[in-house]
Coordinates of all heavy atoms in Angstrom, one line a residue:
Q1 N 150.0 46.1 149.2 CA 151.3 45.7 149.5 C 151.9 44.8 148.4 O 153.1 44.9 148.0 CB 151.3 44.8 150.8 CG 151.6 45.7 152.0 CD 151.7 44.8 153.2 OE1 151.1 43.7 153.3 NE2 152.5 45.3 154.2
L2 N 151.0 44.0 147.7 CA 151.6 43.2 146.7 C 152.1 44.0 145.5 O 153.0 43.8 144.8 CB 150.4 42.2 146.2 CG 150.1 41.0 147.1 CD1 149.0 40.2 146.5 CD2 151.3 40.1 147.3
L3 N 151.3 45.1 145.3 CA 151.6 46.0 144.2 C 153.0 46.7 144.5 O 153.9 46.8 143.6 CB 150.6 47.1 143.9 CG 150.8 48.1 142.8 CD1 150.9 47.3 141.5 CD2 149.6 49.1 142.8
T4 N 153.2 47.1 145.7 CA 154.5 47.7 146.1 C 155.6 46.7 146.0 O 156.7 47.0 145.5 CB 154.3 48.2 147.6 OG1 153.2 49.1 147.7 CG2 155.6 48.9 148.0
L5 N 155.3 45.4 146.4 CA 156.4 44.4 146.3 C 156.7 44.1 144.7 O 157.9 44.0 144.4 CB 155.8 43.1 146.8 CG 156.8 41.9 146.9 CD1 158.1 42.3 147.7 CD2 156.2 40.7 147.6
K6 N 155.6 44.1 143.9 CA 155.9 43.9 142.5 C 156.7 45.1 141.9 O 157.6 44.8 141.1 CB 154.6 43.8 141.7 CG 154.7 43.5 140.3 CD 153.4 43.3 139.5 CE 153.5 43.1 138.1 NZ 154.8 43.3 137.4
I7 N 156.3 46.3 142.3 CA 157.1 47.4 141.8 C 158.6 47.4 142.3 O 159.5 47.6 141.5 CB 156.4 48.8 142.2 CG1 155.0 48.9 141.5 CG2 157.2 50.0 142.0 CD1 154.2 50.0 142.0
S8 N 158.7 46.9 143.5 CA 160.1 46.9 144.1 C 160.9 45.8 143.3 O 162.1 46.1 143.0 CB 160.0 46.4 145.5 OG 160.3 47.5 146.3
R9 N 160.3 44.7 143.0 CA 161.0 43.7 142.3 C 161.3 44.1 140.9 O 162.4 43.9 140.4 CB 160.1 42.4 142.2 CG 160.1 41.7 143.5 CD 159.3 40.4 143.3 NE 159.2 39.6 144.6 CZ 158.2 38.8 144.9 NH1 157.3 38.6 144.0 NH2 158.1 38.3 146.1
D10 N 160.3 44.8 140.2 CA 160.5 45.3 138.9 C 161.7 46.3 138.9 O 162.6 46.3 138.0 CB 159.2 45.9 138.3 CG 158.2 44.9 137.9 OD1 158.5 43.7 137.9 OD2 157.1 45.3 137.6
R11 N 161.7 47.2 139.9 CA 162.7 48.2 139.9 C 164.1 47.5 140.2 O 165.1 48.0 139.5 CB 162.4 49.2 141.1 CG 163.3 50.3 141.2 CD 163.2 51.2 140.0 NE 164.3 52.2 140.1 CZ 165.1 52.6 139.1 NH1 165.0 52.1 137.9 NH2 166.0 53.6 139.4
A12 N 164.2 46.5 141.0 CA 165.4 45.8 141.4 C 165.9 45.2 140.1 O 167.1 45.2 139.7 CB 165.2 44.8 142.5
K13 N 164.9 44.5 139.3 CA 165.3 43.9 138.1 C 165.9 44.9 137.0 O 166.9 44.6 136.4 CB 164.1 43.2 137.5 CG 164.4 42.3 136.3 CD 163.1 41.6 135.7 CE 163.4 40.9 134.5 NZ 162.3 40.2 134.0
Q14 N 165.2 46.0 136.9 CA 165.7 47.1 136.1 C 167.1 47.5 136.4 O 168.0 47.8 135.6 CB 164.8 48.3 136.0 CG 163.5 48.0 135.4 CD 162.5 49.2 135.5 OE1 162.7 50.1 136.4 NE2 161.4 49.2 134.7
I15 N 167.3 47.7 137.7 CA 168.6 48.1 138.2 C 169.7 47.1 137.8 O 170.8 47.4 137.4 CB 168.6 48.4 139.8 CG1 167.8 49.7 140.0 CG2 170.0 48.5 140.3 CD1 167.5 49.9 141.5
E16 N 169.4 45.8 138.1 CA 170.3 44.7 137.8 C 170.6 44.6 136.3 O 171.7 44.5 135.9 CB 169.7 43.4 138.2 CG 170.6 42.2 138.1 CD 171.8 42.3 139.0 OE1 171.8 42.9 140.1 OE2 172.9 41.7 138.7
E17 N 169.5 44.8 135.5 CA 169.7 44.8 134.0 C 170.6 45.9 133.6 O 171.5 45.9 132.8 CB 168.4 44.8 133.2 CG 167.6 43.6 133.4 CD 166.2 43.7 132.8 OE1 165.8 44.8 132.4 OE2 165.5 42.6 132.7
K18 N 170.4 47.1 134.2 CA 171.2 48.3 133.8 C 172.7 48.0 134.2 O 173.6 48.4 133.5 CB 170.7 49.5 134.6 CG 171.4 50.8 134.2 CD 170.7 52.0 134.8 CE 171.5 53.2 134.3 NZ 171.0 54.4 134.9
K19 N 173.0 47.4 135.4 CA 174.3 47.1 135.9 C 174.9 46.2 134.9 O 176.1 46.3 134.5 CB 174.3 46.5 137.3 CG 174.1 47.5 138.4 CD 174.2 46.9 139.7 CE 173.9 47.8 140.8 NZ 173.9 47.1 142.2
N20 N 174.2 45.1 134.5 CA 174.7 44.1 133.6 C 175.1 44.7 132.2 O 176.1 44.4 131.6 CB 173.7 43.0 133.4 CG 173.6 42.1 134.6 OD1 174.5 42.1 135.4 ND2 172.5 41.3 134.7
E21 N 174.2 45.7 131.8 CA 174.4 46.3 130.5 C 175.7 47.2 130.6 O 176.6 47.2 129.7 CB 173.2 47.2 130.1 CG 173.5 48.0 128.8 CD 173.6 47.2 127.6 OE1 173.3 45.9 127.6 OE2 174.1 47.7 126.6
E22 N 175.9 47.9 131.8 CA 177.1 48.8 131.9 C 178.3 47.9 132.0 O 179.4 48.3 131.5 CB 176.9 49.6 133.2 CG 175.9 50.7 133.1 CD 175.7 51.5 134.4 OE1 176.2 51.1 135.4 OE2 174.9 52.4 134.4
K23 N 178.2 46.7 132.6 CA 179.4 45.8 132.7 C 179.7 45.3 131.3 O 180.9 45.3 130.9 CB 179.0 44.7 133.6 CG 180.2 43.7 133.8 CD 179.8 42.6 134.8 CE 180.9 41.6 134.9 NZ 180.6 40.4 135.7
R24 N 178.7 44.9 130.6 CA 178.9 44.4 129.2 C 179.6 45.6 128.4 O 180.6 45.3 127.6 CB 177.6 44.1 128.5 CG 177.8 43.4 127.2 CD 176.4 43.1 126.5 NE 175.7 44.4 126.2 CZ 176.0 45.2 125.2 NH1 177.0 45.0 124.5 NH2 175.3 46.3 125.1
R25 N 179.1 46.8 128.4 CA 179.7 47.8 127.7 C 181.2 48.1 128.1 O 182.0 48.4 127.3 CB 178.9 49.2 127.8 CG 177.7 49.1 127.0 CD 176.9 50.4 127.2 NE 175.6 50.4 126.5 CZ 174.7 51.2 126.6 NH1 174.8 52.2 127.4 NH2 173.5 51.1 125.9
S26 N 181.4 48.0 129.4 CA 182.7 48.2 129.9 C 183.7 47.2 129.4 O 184.8 47.4 129.0 CB 182.7 48.3 131.5 OG 184.0 48.3 132.0
E27 N 183.2 45.9 129.4 CA 184.0 44.8 128.8 C 184.3 45.0 127.3 O 185.4 44.8 126.9 CB 183.4 43.5 129.1 CG 183.4 43.1 130.6 CD 182.4 41.9 130.8 OE1 181.7 41.5 130.0 OE2 182.5 41.4 132.0
E28 N 183.2 45.5 126.6 CA 183.5 45.7 125.1 C 184.5 46.9 125.0 O 185.3 46.8 124.1 CB 182.1 46.1 124.5 CG 181.2 44.9 124.4 CD 179.8 45.4 123.8 OE1 179.6 46.7 123.7 OE2 179.0 44.5 123.5
D29 N 184.3 47.9 125.8 CA 185.3 49.0 125.6 C 186.7 48.6 126.0 O 187.7 48.9 125.3 CB 184.9 50.2 126.6 CG 183.7 50.9 126.2 OD1 183.2 50.7 125.0 OD2 183.1 51.7 127.1
T30 N 186.8 47.7 127.0 CA 188.1 47.2 127.4 C 188.7 46.3 126.2 O 189.9 46.5 125.9 CB 188.1 46.4 128.7 OG1 187.6 47.2 129.7 CG2 189.5 45.8 129.1
E31 N 187.9 45.5 125.7 CA 188.3 44.6 124.6 C 188.8 45.5 123.4 O 189.8 45.2 122.7 CB 187.3 43.6 124.2 CG 187.7 42.7 123.1 CD 188.9 41.8 123.4 OE1 189.1 41.6 124.7 OE2 189.5 41.4 122.5
F32 N 188.0 46.5 123.0 CA 188.3 47.4 122.0 C 189.6 48.1 122.2 O 190.4 48.1 121.3 CB 187.2 48.4 121.8 CG 187.5 49.5 120.7 CD1 187.3 49.2 119.4 CD2 188.1 50.8 121.1 CE1 187.7 50.2 118.5 CE2 188.4 51.6 120.2 CZ 188.3 51.4 118.8
A33 N 189.8 48.5 123.4 CA 191.2 49.2 123.7 C 192.3 48.2 123.6 O 193.3 48.5 123.0 CB 191.0 49.7 125.1
R34 N 192.1 47.0 124.0 CA 193.2 45.9 123.9 C 193.5 45.7 122.4 O 194.7 45.6 122.1 CB 192.7 44.7 124.5 CG 192.9 44.6 126.0 CD 192.7 43.2 126.6 NE 192.5 43.2 128.0 CZ 191.5 42.8 128.7 NH1 190.4 42.5 128.1 NH2 191.4 43.0 130.0
E35 N 192.5 45.6 121.7 CA 192.7 45.3 120.2 C 193.3 46.5 119.5 O 194.2 46.3 118.7 CB 191.3 45.0 119.5 CG 190.8 43.6 119.9 CD 189.3 43.4 119.4 OE1 188.8 44.3 118.6 OE2 188.8 42.3 119.7
W36 N 192.9 47.7 119.9 CA 193.5 48.9 119.4 C 195.0 49.0 119.7 O 195.8 49.2 118.8 CB 192.7 50.1 119.9 CG 193.2 51.4 119.3 CD1 192.9 51.9 118.0 CD2 193.8 52.5 119.9 NE1 193.4 53.0 117.8 CE2 194.1 53.5 118.9 CE3 194.3 52.7 121.1 CZ2 194.7 54.7 119.3 CZ3 195.0 53.8 121.5 CH2 195.1 54.9 120.6
V37 N 195.3 48.7 120.9 CA 196.7 48.8 121.4 C 197.6 47.7 120.7 O 198.6 47.9 120.1 CB 196.9 48.6 122.9 CG1 198.3 48.4 123.3 CG2 196.3 49.8 123.6
A38 N 196.9 46.5 120.5 CA 197.7 45.5 119.8 C 197.8 45.8 118.3 O 198.9 45.4 117.8 CB 196.8 44.1 119.8
S39 N 196.9 46.4 117.7 CA 197.1 46.8 116.2 C 198.1 47.8 116.1 O 198.9 47.8 115.2 CB 195.7 47.3 115.6 OG 195.3 48.5 116.2
I40 N 198.2 48.7 117.1 CA 199.3 49.8 117.0 C 200.6 49.1 117.2 O 201.6 49.4 116.5 CB 199.0 50.8 118.1 CG1 197.9 51.7 117.7 CG2 200.3 51.7 118.3 CD1 197.4 52.7 118.8
E41 N 200.8 48.1 118.0 CA 202.0 47.4 118.4 C 202.4 46.6 117.1 O 203.5 46.6 116.7 CB 201.9 46.4 119.5 CG 203.1 45.8 119.9 CD 204.3 46.6 120.2 OE1 204.2 47.8 120.5 OE2 205.4 46.1 120.0
E42 N 201.4 45.9 116.5 CA 201.6 45.2 115.2 C 202.2 46.2 114.2 O 203.1 45.8 113.4 CB 200.4 44.5 114.7 CG 200.0 43.3 115.5 CD 198.7 42.7 115.0 OE1 198.4 42.9 113.8 OE2 198.1 42.0 115.7
K43 N 201.5 47.3 114.1 CA 202.0 48.3 113.0 C 203.5 48.7 113.3 O 204.3 48.8 112.4 CB 201.0 49.4 113.0 CG 201.4 50.5 112.0 CD 200.5 51.7 112.0 CE 201.0 52.7 111.0 NZ 200.1 54.0 111.2
R44 N 203.7 48.9 114.6 CA 205.1 49.4 115.0 C 206.1 48.4 114.6 O 207.1 48.7 114.1 CB 205.1 49.8 116.5 CG 206.4 50.4 116.9 CD 206.6 50.4 118.4 NE 206.7 49.1 119.0 CZ 207.8 48.3 118.8 NH1 208.9 48.7 118.1 NH2 207.8 47.1 119.4
Q45 N 205.8 47.1 114.9 CA 206.8 46.0 114.7 C 206.9 45.9 113.2 O 208.0 45.6 112.7 CB 206.3 44.7 115.3 CG 206.3 44.8 116.9 CD 205.7 43.5 117.4 OE1 205.3 42.6 116.8 NE2 205.8 43.5 118.8
R46 N 205.8 45.9 112.5 CA 205.9 45.8 110.9 C 206.8 46.9 110.4 O 207.7 46.6 109.5 CB 204.5 45.8 110.3 CG 204.5 45.6 108.9 CD 203.1 45.5 108.2 NE 202.4 46.8 108.3 CZ 201.5 47.0 109.2 NH1 200.9 46.1 110.0 NH2 200.9 48.2 109.3
E47 N 206.6 48.1 110.8 CA 207.4 49.2 110.3 C 208.8 49.1 110.7 O 209.7 49.4 109.8 CB 206.7 50.6 110.9 CG 205.4 51.0 110.2 CD 204.8 52.1 110.9 OE1 205.2 52.6 112.0 OE2 203.8 52.7 110.2
E48 N 209.0 48.5 111.8 CA 210.5 48.3 112.3 C 211.1 47.3 111.4 O 212.2 47.4 111.0 CB 210.5 47.8 113.8 CG 211.9 47.7 114.3 CD 212.8 48.9 114.4 OE1 212.3 50.0 114.2 OE2 214.0 48.7 114.6
R49 N 210.4 46.2 111.1 CA 210.9 45.2 110.2 C 211.2 45.7 108.8 O 212.2 45.4 108.2 CB 209.9 44.0 110.1 CG 209.9 43.1 111.4 CD 209.1 41.8 111.1 NE 207.7 42.0 110.7 CZ 206.7 42.1 111.5 NH1 206.9 42.0 112.8 NH2 205.5 42.3 111.0
E50 N 210.2 46.5 108.3 CA 210.4 47.1 107.0 C 211.6 48.1 107.0 O 212.4 48.1 106.1 CB 209.1 47.9 106.6 CG 208.0 47.0 106.3 CD 206.7 47.7 106.1 OE1 206.6 49.0 106.3 OE2 205.7 47.0 105.8
R51 N 211.8 48.8 108.1 CA 213.0 49.7 108.2 C 214.3 49.0 108.2 O 215.2 49.3 107.5 CB 212.8 50.6 109.5 CG 213.9 51.7 109.5 CD 213.9 52.3 111.0 NE 214.3 51.4 112.0 CZ 215.5 50.9 112.2 NH1 216.5 51.3 111.5 NH2 215.8 50.1 113.2
I52 N 214.3 47.8 109.0 CA 215.5 47.1 109.0 C 215.8 46.4 107.6 O 217.0 46.4 107.2 CB 215.4 45.9 110.1 CG1 215.5 46.6 111.5 CG2 216.5 44.9 110.0 CD1 215.1 45.7 112.6
A53 N 214.8 45.9 107.0 CA 215.0 45.4 105.6 C 215.5 46.4 104.6 O 216.4 46.2 103.8 CB 213.7 44.7 105.1
A54 N 214.9 47.6 104.7 CA 215.3 48.7 103.8 C 216.7 49.1 104.1 O 217.6 49.3 103.2 CB 214.4 49.9 104.0
S55 N 217.1 49.2 105.3 CA 218.5 49.5 105.8 C 219.4 48.5 105.2 O 220.5 48.7 104.7 CB 218.5 49.6 107.3 OG 219.9 49.8 107.7
K56 N 219.1 47.1 105.4 CA 219.9 46.1 104.9 C 220.1 46.1 103.3 O 221.2 46.0 102.8 CB 219.3 44.8 105.2 CG 220.1 43.5 104.8 CD 219.5 42.2 105.3 CE 220.3 41.0 104.8 NZ 219.7 39.8 105.3
R57 N 219.0 46.4 102.6 CA 219.0 46.6 101.1 C 220.0 47.7 100.8 O 220.8 47.6 99.9 CB 217.6 46.8 100.6 CG 216.8 45.5 100.4 CD 215.5 45.8 99.6 NE 214.8 46.9 100.1 CZ 213.8 46.8 101.0 NH1 213.5 45.7 101.6 NH2 213.1 47.9 101.3
N58 N 219.8 48.8 101.5 CA 220.6 50.0 101.2 C 222.1 49.7 101.4 O 223.0 50.1 100.7 CB 220.2 51.2 102.1 CG 218.9 51.7 101.6 OD1 218.3 51.6 100.5 ND2 218.2 52.6 102.6
S59 N 222.3 49.0 102.5 CA 223.7 48.6 102.8 C 224.3 47.7 101.7 O 225.5 47.9 101.3 CB 223.8 48.0 104.2 OG 225.1 47.6 104.5
E60 N 223.5 46.7 101.2 CA 224.0 45.9 100.2 C 224.2 46.6 99.0 O 225.2 46.3 98.2 CB 222.9 44.7 100.0 CG 222.9 43.7 101.2 CD 221.7 42.8 101.2 OE1 220.8 43.0 100.3 OE2 221.6 41.8 101.9
M61 N 223.3 47.5 98.6 CA 223.4 48.3 97.4 C 224.7 49.2 97.5 O 225.5 49.3 96.5 CB 222.3 49.2 97.2 CG 222.3 50.0 95.9 SD 222.5 49.0 94.4 CE 220.8 48.3 94.3
R62 N 225.0 49.7 98.7 CA 226.2 50.5 98.8 C 227.4 49.7 98.7 O 228.4 50.1 98.0 CB 226.1 51.1 100.3 CG 227.1 52.3 100.5 CD 227.0 52.9 101.9 NE 225.7 53.4 102.1 CZ 224.9 52.9 103.1 NH1 225.3 51.9 103.9 NH2 223.7 53.3 103.3
E63 N 227.4 48.5 99.1 CA 228.5 47.6 99.0 C 228.8 47.3 97.5 O 229.9 47.3 97.0 CB 228.4 46.3 99.8 CG 228.5 46.4 101.2 CD 228.3 45.1 102.0 OE1 228.3 44.0 101.3 OE2 228.0 45.2 103.1
V64 N 227.7 47.0 96.7 CA 227.8 46.7 95.3 C 228.3 48.0 94.6 O 229.3 47.8 93.8 CB 226.4 46.4 94.7 CG1 226.4 46.4 93.2 CG2 226.0 45.0 95.3
L65 N 227.9 49.1 94.9 CA 228.3 50.4 94.3 C 229.7 50.7 94.6 O 230.6 51.0 93.7 CB 227.4 51.5 94.7 CG 225.9 51.5 94.0 CD1 225.1 52.6 94.6 CD2 226.0 51.5 92.6
D66 N 230.1 50.4 95.9 CA 231.5 50.7 96.3 C 232.4 49.8 95.5 O 233.5 50.1 95.0 CB 231.7 50.5 97.8 CG 231.2 51.6 98.6 OD1 230.8 52.7 98.0 OD2 231.0 51.4 99.8
S67 N 232.0 48.6 95.4 CA 232.7 47.5 94.6 C 233.0 48.0 93.1 O 234.1 47.9 92.5 CB 232.1 46.2 94.7 OG 232.8 45.2 93.9
Q68 N 231.8 48.4 92.6 CA 231.9 48.9 91.1 C 232.8 50.0 91.0 O 233.6 50.1 90.0 CB 230.5 49.2 90.7 CG 229.6 48.1 90.5 CD 228.1 48.4 90.1 OE1 227.8 49.5 90.2 NE2 227.4 47.4 89.7
V69 N 232.8 51.0 91.9 CA 233.6 52.2 91.8 C 235.1 51.6 92.0 O 235.9 52.2 91.3 CB 233.3 53.2 93.0 CG1 234.3 54.2 93.1 CG2 231.9 53.9 92.6
H70 N 235.3 50.8 92.9 CA 236.7 50.3 93.1 C 237.1 49.6 91.8 O 238.3 49.9 91.3 CB 236.8 49.3 94.2 CG 238.1 48.8 94.5 ND1 238.5 47.5 93.9 CD2 239.2 49.2 95.2 CE1 239.7 47.4 94.3 NE2 240.2 48.3 95.1
D71 N 236.3 48.8 91.2 CA 236.7 48.1 90.0 C 237.0 49.1 88.8 O 237.9 49.0 88.1 CB 235.6 47.2 89.5 CG 235.4 46.0 90.4 OD1 236.3 45.7 91.2 OD2 234.5 45.3 90.2
L72 N 236.2 50.2 88.8 CA 236.4 51.2 87.7 C 237.7 52.0 87.9 O 238.4 52.2 87.0 CB 235.2 52.2 87.7 CG 233.9 51.7 87.0 CD1 232.8 52.7 87.3 CD2 234.1 51.4 85.6
E73 N 237.9 52.3 89.3 CA 239.2 53.0 89.6 C 240.4 52.2 89.3 O 241.5 52.6 88.7 CB 239.2 53.4 91.1 CG 238.2 54.5 91.3 CD 238.1 54.8 92.8 OE1 238.5 54.0 93.6 OE2 237.6 56.0 93.1
E74 N 240.3 50.9 89.5 CA 241.4 49.9 89.3 C 241.6 49.8 87.7 O 242.8 49.8 87.3 CB 241.1 48.5 89.9 CG 242.2 47.5 89.7 CD 243.5 47.9 90.4 OE1 243.5 48.8 91.4 OE2 244.5 47.4 90.1
R75 N 240.5 49.7 87.0 CA 240.7 49.6 85.5 C 241.3 50.9 85.0 O 242.1 50.9 84.1 CB 239.2 49.4 84.9 CG 239.2 48.4 83.9 CD 237.9 48.1 83.3 NE 237.0 47.6 84.2 CZ 235.7 47.7 84.2 NH1 235.1 48.4 83.2 NH2 234.9 47.2 85.1
K76 N 240.8 52.0 85.5 CA 241.3 53.3 85.0 C 242.9 53.4 85.4 O 243.7 53.8 84.5 CB 240.6 54.5 85.7 CG 241.0 55.8 85.1 CD 240.2 56.9 85.7 CE 240.5 58.2 85.1 NZ 239.7 59.3 85.5
R77 N 243.3 53.0 86.5 CA 244.7 52.9 86.9 C 245.5 52.1 86.1 O 246.6 52.5 85.5 CB 244.8 52.5 88.4 CG 246.2 52.6 89.0 CD 246.3 52.0 90.4 NE 246.1 50.5 90.4 CZ 247.0 49.6 90.0 NH1 248.2 50.1 89.5 NH2 246.8 48.3 90.0
L78 N 244.9 50.9 85.7 CA 245.7 50.0 84.8 C 245.8 50.6 83.4 O 246.8 50.5 82.8 CB 245.0 48.6 84.8 CG 245.1 47.8 86.0 CD1 244.2 46.6 85.9 CD2 246.5 47.4 86.3
Q79 N 244.7 51.3 82.9 CA 244.8 51.9 81.7 C 245.8 53.0 81.6 O 246.6 53.2 80.6 CB 243.4 52.5 81.2 CG 242.4 51.4 80.9 CD 241.0 52.0 80.7 OE1 240.8 53.2 81.0 NE2 240.2 51.2 80.0
M80 N 245.9 53.8 82.7 CA 246.9 54.9 82.8 C 248.3 54.3 82.8 O 249.2 54.8 82.2 CB 246.7 55.6 84.1 CG 245.3 56.4 84.1 SD 245.2 57.6 82.7 CE 246.4 58.9 83.3
E81 N 248.5 53.1 83.5 CA 249.8 52.5 83.5 C 250.1 52.1 82.1 O 251.3 52.1 81.6 CB 249.8 51.3 84.5 CG 249.9 51.7 85.9 CD 249.9 50.5 86.8 OE1 249.9 49.3 86.3 OE2 249.9 50.7 88.0
E82 N 249.2 51.5 81.4 CA 249.5 51.1 80.0 C 249.8 52.2 79.1 O 250.7 52.1 78.3 CB 248.1 50.4 79.3 CG 247.9 48.9 79.9 CD 249.0 48.0 79.4 OE1 249.4 48.1 78.3 OE2 249.4 47.2 80.3
L83 N 249.1 53.4 79.3 CA 249.4 54.6 78.5 C 250.9 55.1 78.7 O 251.5 55.6 77.9 CB 248.4 55.6 78.7 CG 247.0 55.3 78.1 CD1 246.1 56.5 78.5 CD2 247.1 55.2 76.6
E84 N 251.3 55.0 80.0 CA 252.5 55.5 80.4 C 253.8 54.6 79.8 O 254.8 55.1 79.7 CB 252.7 55.5 81.9 CG 251.9 56.6 82.5 CD 251.9 56.6 84.0 OE1 252.5 55.7 84.6 OE2 251.2 57.4 84.6
R85 N 253.5 53.4 79.4 CA 254.5 52.5 78.9 C 254.8 52.8 77.5 O 254.4 53.3 76.6 CB 254.1 51.1 79.0 CG 254.1 50.6 80.5 CD 253.8 49.2 80.5 NE 253.6 48.8 81.9 CZ 253.1 47.7 82.3 NH1 252.8 46.7 81.4 NH2 252.9 47.3 83.6

């Protein structure tokens, strides 16, 4: 009977250890998934900030170019007026 009891205890201990190991792995998998999702979200936010910054730069560049074109057109108009006199 003592041998049976010892075997039973050993088996119960093995089962408990296996459950603990499965729980630990599950927690690790959950943590990995959380970190993975967080990294994807960080990447999405970074790309969005970069897109907004690029859009702003493009808009500013467009304004500068529009201004330059306007200045050139005005200069050309004034030159044409001078030639007509």
Side-chain angles (χ1 to χ4, degrees):
Q1 269 185 331
L2 287 177
L3 184 57
T4 304
L5 183 59
K6 182 177 178 347
I7 292 171
S8 252
R9 284 184 187 156
D10 287 348
R11 183 67 184 136
K13 186 177 177 184
Q14 288 174 347
I15 291 170
E16 186 65 28
E17 287 173 355
K18 186 175 180 179
K19 284 181 184 177
N20 289 339
E21 178 64 18
E22 288 173 359
K23 182 179 178 185
R24 186 188 62 76
R25 284 185 184 163
S26 176
E27 289 170 353
E28 287 175 354
D29 289 348
T30 300
E31 182 60 24
F32 174 80
R34 281 190 190 114
E35 290 172 2
W36 186 69
V37 168
S39 72
I40 289 173
E41 180 61 20
E42 284 176 26
K43 180 181 177 188
R44 187 196 64 76
Q45 289 177 0
R46 182 179 63 253
E47 288 173 347
E48 179 67 10
R49 286 190 303 271
E50 290 170 357
R51 186 191 63 75
I52 290 169
S55 178
K56 183 178 179 182
R57 283 191 307 272
N58 289 342
S59 178
E60 290 169 351
M61 183 59 73
R62 194 175 306 114
E63 288 177 18
V64 167
L65 292 174
D66 286 347
S67 175
Q68 289 175 346
V69 167
H70 180 268
D71 292 347
L72 286 172
E73 289 174 342
E74 184 64 18
R75 225 178 296 154
K76 186 173 182 175
R77 186 185 66 75
L78 291 172
Q79 286 174 347
M80 294 300 284
E81 285 179 6
E82 284 293 320
L83 289 175
E84 289 174 359
R85 290 185 188 169

